[in-house]
Amino acid sequence: MDPGAGDITVTLYGGPYDGLEVKVERDDPEPWIAIITDGAPAGRAVYAPDDDGGDGVWHYRGQVPWEWL
């Protein structure tokens, strides 16, 4: 089985990683990602698909500060 068969590529929109393309698991039960950010504010930038499941674009949903992790 191809280990990348369940992956899709999405483009991040908004936030510190606007325009970045990342691979995500198509069937992930938690359809969002949190990417470490070193700049201000430091923590993790959260991106998720729209309620319709995403169209290849995931939107910035906010920042999780380090003190919350």
Side-chain angles (χ1 to χ4, degrees):
M1 177 190 242
D2 179 10
D7 293 347
I8 58 171
T9 300
V10 299
T11 303
L12 305 181
Y13 180 79
Y17 294 102
D18 187 40
L20 181 68
E21 291 184 347
V22 297
K23 285 189 177 184
V24 296
E25 293 180 33
R26 179 184 310 275
D27 298 326
D28 190 337
E30 295 181 1
W32 53 271
I33 57 174
I35 303 173
I36 294 173
T37 56
D38 293 327
R44 293 185 185 261
V46 177
Y47 289 85
D50 290 330
D51 291 338
D52 64 3
D55 57 359
V57 176
W58 283 20
H59 296 269
Y60 180 67
R61 301 296 185 205
Q63 191 77 12
V64 179
W66 281 124
E67 58 268 11
W68 292 7
L69 300 174

